[in-house]
Amino acid sequence: MQRRTVLQTLALAAGAPRAVCAADAPTVLNGWSIHPDDYPVNQAMQRFADELARITGQRLTAKVHGNGSLAPQGQVLERLTRGEIDFAEIGLLGYGDKVPVLQLLGTPFLFKESGAMFKLLDGRLGALIAAELRRFGVILLGWYEGGTRNFYHRHKPLRTASDFQGERLRVGNTPAHAAMVSTLGGKAVPLPFKEVLAAFEGGQIDGAENNLPSYESTGHYKVAPHYTLTRHLVSPEMLIMGEKAWARFSPAEQERLLQAGRESALHMRQLWAQRVAEVQARLARQGVQFHLAGDHGAVLRRMKPIYEPLWRSTDPVTREALSMVLTQGMAG
Ligand code: BDP
């Protein structure tokens, strides 16, 4: 049997989690974000990190690493489950192939605004998805705001389907988003978030889509100053932890961490609302032109091929989640 130090023996006797005894386990948990430090996501993650240290009486602390510096965007879930990253904040782009129900939340025109979405996610739908993520070794701590996404272009508004004809538009690694661009007549160019600016500068794309805070923080507005309010996606993002990091907390600490995660999410949504309220005026002063979208009905009708695979999905969790979304507002 391995020899224990007096402190380790005491810790075991006090029922402290096993990881306390692992002398070589680092005491700083590392958190991944794709965004810069002054972005609402990172600020809310920092609040969670501070709370984590308080909950464990500084036995463990946490550091938020911005700008995707800890790992490439597409590898976050694997790295998290392998324990190479401890916690992260991710959007849903590119993860639907790993956890099928996430595809549903990335479906265009599913929600009109985030209030309706959070009503579901803070309730039964969120619990269903959290249980599903758990099966993949991921603990859901909070639903963050991913904002309303709109298309933007170097030279012109993208108001109707005819404006999309032949345009090369960046999408994330999400098949439904590539299909959305194709069905509107454009050419979808899947690219990681961090490569979009260079693709604009190198002339490989004509446009992209994102929410206003990311459009500003990435500097895309400087190269693509026509922003059309297509509102094609209202999406959530998630604060998550890998199960290896999770196992380092006692059950009582885990309860408090879940609470800290929910609180950081509510804080994030407030920061987000403030940011969105300021950003449009700031961008207009920088010369961005905002355009209203054209015939919404005509665009929606073209989305049929994107919805069909959802109707036919054989994944029971996706089917249950879809029925919760479709019956939203009917219960109570
Ligand atoms: C940002 C999201 C981030 C996405 C990114 C993208 O916050 O999670 O990865 O868009 O378009 O708004 O890739």
Side-chain angles (χ1 to χ4, degrees), residues 61-74:
T61 58
K63 182 165 165 46
V64 179
H65 302 260
N67 293 313
S69 61
L70 281 188
Q73 188 173 19

Side-chain angles (χ1 to χ4, degrees), residues 34-35 73 91 93 149 170 193 210-211 214 237:
I34 193 97
H35 296 291
Q73 188 173 19
L93 273 65
R149 295 176 75 107
R170 179 268 172 169
F193 190 42
N210 219 310
N211 55 55
S214 280
E237 300 198 356

Side-chain angles (χ1 to χ4, degrees), residues 99-221:
V99 186
V101 69
L102 296 182
Q103 263 163 23
L104 172 69
L105 295 181
T107 303
F109 301 105
L110 194 65
F111 300 111
K112 261 173 133 168
E113 41 84 36
S114 58
M117 176 183 78
F118 284 130
K119 218 169 148 195
L120 285 166
L121 290 175
D122 290 336
R124 278 171 54 226
L125 178 62
L128 176 75
I129 297 173
E132 183 66 350
L133 286 166
R134 194 76 183 78
R135 287 201 317 121
F136 289 85
V138 172
I139 286 77
L140 182 101
L141 297 165
W143 290 108
Y144 278 29
E145 170 71 271
T148 301
R149 295 176 75 107
N150 301 287
F151 278 97
Y152 45 94
H153 191 279
R154 298 154 78 93
H155 308 301
K156 62 173 203 182
L158 293 170
R159 301 186 64 245
T160 60
S162 60
D163 296 327
F164 282 78
Q165 293 310 307
E167 299 298 333
R168 296 162 306 163
L169 303 171
R170 179 268 172 169
V171 291
N173 181 21
T174 301
H177 298 172
M180 166 177 63
V181 167
S182 315
T183 184
L184 289 170
K187 183 175 176 320
V189 183
L191 279 178
F193 190 42
K194 290 285 170 200
E195 290 172 26
V196 181
L197 185 60
F200 267 121
E201 286 167 349
Q204 286 106 28
I205 53 172
D206 307 303
E209 54 80 53
N210 219 310
N211 55 55
L212 277 173
S214 280
Y215 177 58
E216 183 187 43
S217 69
T218 51
H220 294 176
Y221 70 93

Side-chain angles (χ1 to χ4, degrees), residues 54-98:
R54 221 186 328 273
I55 288 169
T56 63
Q58 309 288 329
R59 184 187 82 248
L60 297 171
T61 58
K63 182 165 165 46
V64 179
H65 302 260
N67 293 313
S69 61
L70 281 188
Q73 188 173 19
Q75 293 181 11
V76 176
L77 279 189
E78 284 96 328
R79 299 258 190 128
L80 208 67
T81 47
R82 289 207 298 262
E84 293 163 18
I85 299 174
D86 299 303
F87 65 108
E89 197 277 350
I90 58 168
L92 306 178
L93 273 65
Y95 300 107
D97 53 337
K98 298 175 182 90

